[in-house]
Amino acid sequence: MQRHQAFKYELMPNGETQRHLRRYAGSCRFVYNRALALQQANHEAGEKFIGYVAMAKHLTAWRNGVETPWLKDSPVHPLQHALKDLDKAYQNFFAKRADFPRFKRKGSGDSFRYPDPKQIKLDSGNRRIFLPKLGWIRYRNSRDVLGELRNVTVSSKGGKWFVSIQTQREVELPATPATTAIGIDLGIARFATLSDGTWMEPRNSFKNKQAKLAKYQRRMAHKQKFSNNWKKAKANVQKIHTQIANARRDFLHKATTTLSQNHALVFIEDLQVGNMSKSAAGTAENPGKNVAQKSGLNKAILDQGWGEFRRQLDYKMAWKGGMLFAVPPHYTSQECPECHHVAADNRQTQAKFVCVKCHYENHADHVGAINIKERGYRLLACGDAALSRSVKQEPTEVSQLSS
């Protein structure tokens, strides 16, 4: 099996190299924003979409023009890749996989990529990497790079610079993969409840740092914007955000690694996290209801990192020779796993489930995990058509009970 994997390390650049890194990231951001503005102006004029090849000719003109001659100081391949990123963003928008491309802001996600492996040299023994127009840069070698180098991405976060080395290599599937299957119900009070009755405590990385974050945000708000003291306060806020993200990512990696190592089949709900965490504020004409309560729920949902959990679990299951299946989430917490009776009254509280027909009693999240696993088996055995018919029949029983 061919595996693409990225190895991320912290760079240790000197002052001059840091200035070059900021300038190259700024140049890529400028090219991306200028190309996006050109695409929007072109669309308003009724012209066709400008593809990457045609847009690359504009980049050549910008590099050779009198207005932006400083673009020549940056390596050309990262600038070209910035145009490819914009082209990909538009393709994702056309395919309804993402929102409309937005302009990039300084200090938010600064990065650039070297796509040509022939221009990159890696000396892991001396903990250094060679990048065009930057030369040799040392990095913190926390683990060995495995595979053939494909590309390198340089990024900035929390005042530090990082290098992500993507590799490609052939790996063999595990000789003795796990043979068990499990259903997972994601929640807030319990991060993940498994169909075997076990469950994982939530990390709540944002909730644990919320008070401290608010204190430093208030300090930042009381400073003169863009002053030296304001920049120091902003650095403290960014540091806390980085700690929150790192703690959440560490928790998710450990959880997904454990699950992928111990199970061959994993069934989860096909949750639309973006829709679940939308604001309930509404508009001035149609104000929302329970806005404060919904806002707290949205924070709790996003704090769990359900989307990242699914992404990590997906590729790790493939690495271990297992499979991940997402099943429709309809009524998984309202259906009795014993008699399959569906009713909203079955779930008496957020945690308590008692079937009104057969009086089966269990924790609501455990019931959801059991139903997810069973629904996953039905999906594998009968296909999408049989499963969709089953899901459509469930609300009928709910309506009959309420009448």
Side-chain angles (χ1 to χ4, degrees), residues 274-347:
N275 295 335
M276 295 173 64
S277 57
K278 280 186 177 180
S279 173
T283 61
E285 295 78 12
N286 298 310
K289 298 180 181 179
N290 301 323
V291 177
Q293 181 181 1
K294 184 62 169 65
S295 176
L297 178 62
N298 291 349
K299 286 182 180 179
I301 290 174
L302 296 175
D303 195 14
Q304 305 308 313
W306 291 345
E308 179 65 11
F309 173 80
R310 177 174 173 176
R311 187 192 71 84
Q312 291 185 13
L313 192 58
D314 189 15
Y315 74 78
K316 288 182 182 181
M317 290 297 297
W319 284 1
K320 298 296 182 181
M323 300 185 72
L324 175 70
F325 287 92
V327 303
H330 311 88
Y331 308 103
T332 53
S333 62
Q334 298 178 11
E335 179 181 356
C336 176
E338 290 290 330
C339 67
H340 301 288
H341 180 72
V342 181
D345 294 338
N346 284 348
R347 189 164 186 173

Side-chain angles (χ1 to χ4, degrees), residues 4-267:
H4 291 83
Q5 187 174 359
F7 299 85
K8 191 172 182 178
Y9 307 94
E10 181 184 346
L11 289 173
M12 297 185 292
N14 56 29
E16 182 181 0
T17 304
Q18 288 189 46
R19 288 191 292 272
H20 289 316
L21 291 171
R22 287 194 294 267
R23 186 163 71 248
Y24 297 167
S27 297
C28 291
R29 182 178 61 251
F30 172 84
V31 169
Y32 183 96
N33 289 341
R34 186 162 185 176
L36 178 56
L38 181 60
Q39 290 280 19
Q40 293 182 352
N42 186 67
H43 176 71
E44 292 175 358
E47 301 293 335
K48 293 183 179 180
F49 173 76
I50 304 175
Y52 165 73
V53 175
M55 190 64 76
K57 295 180 180 179
H58 288 280
L59 174 61
T60 303
W62 298 338
R63 283 169 54 86
N64 297 327
V66 295
E67 295 182 358
T68 55
W70 43 269
L71 286 177
K72 280 189 175 182
D73 297 335
S74 300
V76 65
H77 285 176
L79 298 179
Q80 292 173 344
H81 204 274
L83 297 180
K84 291 183 179 180
D85 288 341
L86 178 62
D87 187 76
K88 185 177 180 180
Y90 265 102
Q91 299 303 327
N92 289 335
F93 169 71
F94 294 148
K96 298 182 179 180
R97 292 190 297 264
D99 293 333
F100 190 81
R102 292 180 294 180
F103 291 98
K104 292 187 176 182
R105 184 174 58 181
K106 181 180 180 180
S108 178
D110 288 341
S111 65
F112 55 95
R113 177 173 294 176
Y114 291 97
D116 187 2
K118 297 179 181 178
Q119 296 183 335
I120 305 165
K121 301 176 185 177
L122 181 64
D123 184 5
S124 57
N126 292 314
R127 299 178 299 171
R128 60 178 188 167
I129 185 171
F130 179 88
L131 300 174
K133 291 202 172 184
L134 288 172
W136 289 101
I137 309 176
R138 294 199 175 273
Y139 65 93
R140 299 188 183 276
N141 191 12
S142 55
R143 55 176 175 165
D144 294 334
V145 176
L146 304 177
E148 179 186 356
L149 193 149
R150 304 301 300 169
N151 60 68
V152 166
T153 301
V154 180
S155 60
S156 173
K157 189 172 185 179
K160 298 180 179 180
W161 288 93
F162 300 89
V163 59
S164 182
I165 305 170
Q166 189 183 61
T167 65
Q168 175 182 306
R169 71 183 191 274
E170 287 289 335
V171 297
E172 295 182 1
L173 291 177
T176 56
T179 58
T180 58
I182 203 77
I184 303 177
D185 181 80
L186 297 177
I188 295 175
R190 293 180 173 186
F191 170 73
T193 304
L194 310 185
S195 56
D196 60 5
T198 59
W199 52 283
M200 301 178 185
E201 285 277 3
R203 180 63 176 84
N204 294 328
S205 56
F206 174 79
K207 184 179 180 181
N208 295 337
K209 295 278 187 179
Q210 189 172 5
K212 185 177 181 180
L213 177 63
K215 181 178 73 173
Y216 282 96
Q217 285 176 331
R218 287 193 296 269
R219 291 183 182 179
M220 179 180 168
H222 294 158
K223 302 292 190 294
Q224 180 68 35
K225 200 168 185 180
F226 301 120
S227 66
N228 288 333
N229 287 334
W230 179 86
K231 292 178 181 178
K232 293 177 182 178
K234 182 182 179 182
N236 288 329
V237 172
Q238 290 177 330
K239 182 178 180 180
I240 297 174
H241 277 299
T242 302
Q243 292 173 349
I244 293 171
N246 289 341
R248 181 185 296 118
R249 189 180 301 108
D250 178 73
F251 168 77
L252 294 175
H253 272 296
K254 290 177 179 177
T256 52
T257 298
T258 301
L259 290 169
S260 63
Q261 288 176 343
N262 297 331
H263 304 286
L265 279 175
V266 174
F267 302 104

